[in-house]
Every structure is written in structure tokens, then in C-alpha cells.
């Protein structure tokens, strides 16, 4: 009888240990759901276009709208992706194409949902080439890119370009640039480097050129290791760039708080589009906790004054530099741009078959939520979504209602 009691006690203890292990494992692997009243966690990558989130924090706009927001600097776009999907971040300053890249399996696990609440900016990225190309390829001299790259390939066997995330905006601008220059993307090596590490990697010769957001194009010029070959707004004036991307569960369970966050960020976007405020913004976001880059470089390109490097002088952009509001036309999350991005995934070989463009855009873009917030702030809602459009340099017409027709005629 005594032996039986011992056996039962041992069995009970074992069972309790198993239960504890199972419960502990579930706590480790399952993301904690958002809890009302908890601080909202927003991430950003050190780029000039993180300004709407940073300035909403610095100007006290989140507090004005009644939400407590913690802003955190992240190391890479893959890191941002993972934290949004697990709920470690409620949202982030993010490449607008990332949710579509992740959902389609280009840049993540297919079917993973990241939601776009609003857009943050247009323009303000650039293709930077190393000084090895200085004097051989000038500013916007697209016809000279391919012969110079071909000569370098013949001499050194390999040319490497960098972007920041597969299927991300910088990847798409880089590949469109190569197409416009007549350069076969398969002829060069394309690698992924986090934005703040671009300059250091070029300095040690890890790449011949890169596409990234400011200030890292301007910093390469300031350090004398590269020059601006073209700005992204030259390829496509007022192209969509960064978005406020949020965790799916957060968007569903804390919808009212998300609306308050969006109002604060929209007000920051309005503030940023006043040229008189850009010097102050540059000084703030240039600090170590944020972008950690020279304020004069940030300010110059924020104001549209591009020192191109390589003795090319300065290019002044007066209407198509980095914009954050532009009467509300910037911030509206257009489904047509999402469809265009996914068509690029097919065009450049990331996807073998065309996805269900409209269904994915409908699933991931929270257009109704944005319209609700915009109307409450008396911000005009654009009416151009789903209308055909062309890029500035590539005049091929893209009809978002028929991307298959575009893919039949566009250059690869």
C-alpha cells in the first residue's frame, strides 16, 4: 500500500511537470495578444522617412490624441517584419511593398498578414554608385550604365549591387533602374544589406552600387566614397515609399487606438511638409537615438538640395523631393500601387505565376480605416486609385485592372 502511494505521488509529480513544460512552451512560442491600455510599440529603421513617426513622438502628438507610444529603432527590415508578425511591435515605419512581398512568399512565409494603415511619404530614395564609376556614368545618364558595367564585368568578373529587402521598394527601384538602363539583372549580383550599413559596406568594397533611402545616399557623397546616379523620383515622380504597417491582431482589437495613432502621424506629416520645419526635423532625427547621421546631410536632401558627388554639382528638386502630406495625396493607401508592386514580383522572376492581385490588396490595405480617419480630420481623399498610370521614365501604361496586359509589353 505504501509503495502504491509512492507510485501515485511520483506519477502526479511527473504529470504536473509535463503540464508546466507544455504551458511554458506555449507562452514562449505564442505572441502575447495586444492589451487595451498598454503602450503602443512602433518601430522604425534609421532613414529620413521615419520622420512622421519620430516627429509625432517628439512634438507630443501621440499624447495630444490620448495614446502612449514607445518608438524603437530596429536593425533591419527582416527584423521589422518578424516583430510585426509576432506582435512584439504593434506597427512600424515600413517599406510599402513589404506586406505584399511577405504575403506572396517573396520576402517571408506565404500567407503572413501585415496590414497597411496609411502611407508616410513619397520620393527621397536614390541609386548610389561607387567612385569607381565616377566620370564614366553621370547623373541620369542611363545609356552609359550598361557599357560601363559590362566593361567592369569583363575586367573583374563580378559587379554587385545592394538593396534592403527582397521585393521591397529599394529592390524594385534598383531593378527598374537596371531595366531602364538596358542592364540584365541576371548579369549582376544583387545582395541584401540593412540601410544604415550601406555606406560602410561600400567603403570596404562589398558592392559597386546600392539603392536605399536617405540620408545614406547623401552620406556616401559627404564621405567621398560614392555619388548619386539618379534619385528615385526621377524614375517615378511621387512614387509611394514608406507606410505605417501594423500587426493584424492589433488592428482588430485596438482599432480606436490605431485611429488615434494615425491622426498623430498625419498631423506630423502636415508639419513636416512645411519647409520652415525641416531644419528642426533634420536636427532631431539626425541624433543617435534615431537616424544617427549628419544633420546637414539630412537637411540638404529634405530641402531638395542634392549634392550629387563626383564633381557633378547640385541638383535642386523643388516640387518632387521627399513629401509627407501634399494635401493628403501622399497618405492615402492606394490598391493600384499594391497591384503594381506585385506585378513587378512577376516581372522580375520572384513569382512564377500572377497572384490574385485584387484579393491580396483588399486583404492587406485598410483603406476604409484611413478614409474614416481622414474624414474626421477633414483631409481630402484622392480619387485616382485604380486608374491607369505610368512611371516618369518608363512610359508603359499600367492598368491596375489588367496587370497581365502590362506584363506582356513591359521590359524585363
Amino acid at each position: 500500500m505504501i509503495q502504491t502511494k509512492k507510485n501515485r505521488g511520483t506519477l502526479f509529480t511527473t504529470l504536473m511537470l509535463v503540464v508546466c513544460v507544455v504551458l511554458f512552451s506555449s507562452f514562449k512560442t505564442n505572441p502575447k495578444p495586444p492589451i487595451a491600455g498598454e503602450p503602443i510599440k512602433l518601430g522604425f529603421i534609421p532613414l529620413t522617412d521615419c520622420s512622421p513617426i519620430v516627429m509625432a513622438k517628439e512634438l507630443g502628438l501621440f499624447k495630444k490624441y490620448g495614446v502612449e507610444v514607445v518608438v524603437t529603432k530596429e536593425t533591419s527590415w527582416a527584423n521589422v517584419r518578424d516583430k510585426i508578425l509576432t506582435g512584439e511591435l504593434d506597427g512600424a515605419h515600413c517599406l510599402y511593398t513589404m506586406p505584399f512581398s511577405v504575403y506572396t512568399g517573396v520576402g517571408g512565409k506565404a500567407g503572413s498578414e501585415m496590414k497597411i494603415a496609411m502611407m508616410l511619404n513619397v520620393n527621397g530614395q536614390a541609386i548610389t554608385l561607387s567612385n569607381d564609376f565616377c566620370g564614366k556614368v553621370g547623373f541620369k545618364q542611363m545609356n552609359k550604365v550598361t557599357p560601363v558595367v559590362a566593361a567592369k564585368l569583363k575586367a573583374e568578373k563580378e559587379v554587385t549591387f545592394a538593396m534592403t529587402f527582397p521585393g521591397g521598394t529599394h529592390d524594385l527601384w534598383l531593378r527598374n533602374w537596371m531595366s531602364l538602363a538596358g542592364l540584365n539583372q541576371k548579369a549582376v549580383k544583387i545582395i541584401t544589406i540593412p540601410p544604415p550599413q550601406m555606406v560602410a559596406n561600400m567603403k570596404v568594397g562589398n558592392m559597386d552600387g546600392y539603392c536605399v533611402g536617405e540620408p545614406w545616399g547623401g552620406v556616401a557623397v559627404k564621405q567621398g566614397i560614392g555619388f548619386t546616379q539618379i534619385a528615385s523620383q526621377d524614375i517615378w515622380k511621387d512614387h509611394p515609399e514608406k507606410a505605417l504597417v501594423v500587426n493584424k491582431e492589433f488592428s482588430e482589437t485596438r482599432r480606436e487606438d490605431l485611429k488615434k495613432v494615425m491622426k498623430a502621424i498625419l498631423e506630423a506629416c502636415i508639419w513636416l511638409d512645411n519647409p520652415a520645419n525641416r531644419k528642426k526635423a533634420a536636427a532631431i532625427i539626425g541624433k543617435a537615438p534615431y537616424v544617427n547621421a549628419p544633420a546637414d546631410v539630412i537637411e540638404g536632401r529634405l530641402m531638395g538640395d542634392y549634392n550629387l558627388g563626383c564633381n557633378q554639382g547640385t541638383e535642386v528638386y523643388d516640387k518632387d523631393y521627399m513629401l509627407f502630406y501634399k494635401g493628403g495625396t501622399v497618405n492615402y493607401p492606394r490598391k493600384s500601387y499594391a497591384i503594381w508592386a506585385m506585378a513587378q514580383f512577376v516581372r522580375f522572376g520572384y513569382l512564377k505565376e500572377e497572384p490574385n492581385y485584387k484579393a491580396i490588396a483588399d486583404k492587406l490595405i485598410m483603406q476604409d480605416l484611413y478614409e474614416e480617419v481622414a474624414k474626421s480630420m477633414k483631409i481630402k481623399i484622392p480619387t485616382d486609385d485604380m486608374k491607369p498610370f505610368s512611371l516618369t521614365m518608363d512610359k508603359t501604361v499600367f492598368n491596375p485592372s489588367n496587370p497581365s496586359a502590362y506584363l506582356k509589353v513591359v521590359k524585363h
Side-chain angles (χ1 to χ4, degrees):
M1 185 70 179
I2 294 173
Q3 184 63 36
T4 303
K5 286 181 179 178
K6 285 183 178 179
N7 289 342
R8 286 176 180 171
T10 302
L11 179 61
F12 177 79
T13 301
T14 302
L15 286 171
M16 289 302 294
L17 284 171
V18 170
V19 169
C20 288
V21 168
V22 170
L23 287 172
F24 180 70
S25 298
S26 68
F27 289 146
K28 285 182 68 180
T29 58
N30 296 331
K32 185 175 70 173
I35 299 175
E38 280 196 349
I40 295 166
K41 302 176 292 295
L42 298 181
F44 70 91
I45 291 291
L47 290 162
T48 301
D49 50 30
C50 75
S51 295
I53 288 177
V54 170
M55 293 313 302
K57 180 73 172 179
E58 288 283 337
L59 295 171
L61 298 175
F62 291 127
K63 287 185 178 179
K64 173 183 174 179
Y65 286 98
V67 283
E68 184 180 352
V69 174
V70 176
V71 174
T72 64
K73 177 158 51 172
E74 305 300 329
T75 56
S76 69
W77 291 121
N79 181 243
V80 168
R81 172 202 60 200
D82 294 345
K83 287 187 175 182
I84 290 177
L85 289 174
T86 62
E88 189 173 343
L89 286 174
D90 297 308
H93 150 255
C94 199
L95 303 162
Y96 101 89
T97 56
M98 186 189 291
F100 313 109
S101 173
V102 172
Y103 188 85
T104 57
V106 173
K109 183 180 178 182
S112 300
E113 294 184 32
M114 303 163 69
K115 300 282 192 174
I116 293 181
M118 61 177 284
M119 298 299 297
L120 299 178
N121 77 294
V122 298
N123 304 327
Q125 322 301 297
I127 304 284
T128 300
L129 296 181
S130 76
N131 280 342
D132 289 346
F133 294 95
C134 183
K136 302 171 184 176
V137 181
F139 180 61
K140 292 198 284 190
Q141 291 181 335
M142 305 299 286
N143 62 322
K144 292 189 177 182
V145 173
T146 294
V148 170
V149 170
K152 189 171 177 64
L153 279 168
K154 186 175 180 180
E156 300 183 21
K157 309 301 180 187
E158 187 173 79
V159 170
T160 301
F161 293 127
M163 48 79 182
T164 63
F165 187 84
T169 53
H170 303 131
D171 187 15
L172 298 188
W173 310 145
L174 177 66
R175 292 178 189 274
N176 271 269
W177 172 77
M178 287 192 287
S179 176
L180 289 164
L183 181 63
N184 186 342
Q185 62 174 316
K186 294 180 181 178
V188 301
K189 183 179 180 181
I190 299 176
I191 60 175
T192 302
I193 300 288
Q197 297 177 25
M198 288 291 189
V199 175
N201 273 272
M202 181 175 277
K203 189 177 291 186
V204 297
N206 287 342
M207 80 273 274
D208 299 280
Y210 60 78
C211 182
V212 74
E214 296 302 340
W216 306 116
V219 170
V221 171
K222 185 179 179 69
Q223 294 189 7
I225 62 168
F227 64 95
T228 299
Q229 201 280 318
I230 197 169
S232 56
Q233 55 264 36
D234 295 314
I235 297 172
W236 182 4
K237 181 182 176 181
D238 290 348
H239 66 79
E241 184 52 41
K242 300 302 189 301
L244 174 64
V245 174
V246 296
N247 170 270
K248 180 177 182 288
E249 191 170 3
F250 171 76
S251 72
E252 295 169 346
T253 60
R254 298 186 66 178
R255 183 181 175 91
E256 292 304 312
D257 285 341
L258 176 54
K259 285 159 62 175
K260 293 174 184 177
V261 167
M262 292 167 67
K263 288 177 181 179
I265 292 174
L266 276 165
E267 190 168 326
C269 287
I270 294 170
W271 184 89
L272 282 161
D273 258 16
N274 182 345
N277 293 328
R278 294 203 168 192
K279 185 179 183 69
K280 179 179 179 180
I284 291 172
I285 68 170
K287 293 178 180 177
Y290 298 128
V291 178
N292 193 26
D296 63 327
V297 175
I298 297 174
E299 181 186 346
R301 298 210 168 185
L302 259 181
M303 298 301 292
D305 295 332
Y306 281 52
N307 176 3
L308 300 173
C310 188
N311 300 312
Q312 297 182 112
T314 300
E315 179 76 5
V316 178
Y317 294 90
D318 59 353
K319 294 181 180 178
D320 53 355
Y321 51 174
M322 189 179 290
L323 297 170
F324 301 93
Y325 180 63
K326 199 176 181 180
T329 60
V330 168
N331 311 106
Y332 188 57
R334 292 168 177 81
K335 294 180 181 180
S336 55
Y337 292 166
I339 294 170
W340 179 88
M342 287 184 278
Q344 304 307 301
F345 301 163
V346 179
R347 174 188 180 187
F348 294 122
Y350 277 129
L351 297 177
K352 293 181 180 179
E353 297 180 354
E354 292 184 73
N356 190 334
Y357 298 103
K358 186 178 184 304
I360 297 171
D362 288 344
K363 182 185 286 287
L364 301 184
I365 297 177
M366 304 176 71
Q367 212 169 67
D368 290 346
L369 178 67
Y370 176 80
E371 290 176 4
E372 183 181 343
V373 171
K375 287 175 183 176
S376 73
M377 298 180 72
K378 295 181 172 55
I379 293 173
K380 187 177 179 181
I381 296 171
T383 58
D384 60 349
D385 196 15
M386 296 306 292
K387 293 182 179 179
F389 62 88
S390 298
L391 275 60
T392 305
M393 282 194 169
D394 182 355
K395 300 300 183 182
T396 307
V397 176
F398 180 79
N399 183 348
S401 297
N402 189 6
S404 298
Y406 162 85
L407 288 170
K408 290 177 181 177
V409 299
V410 74
K411 294 180 181 179
H412 293 267

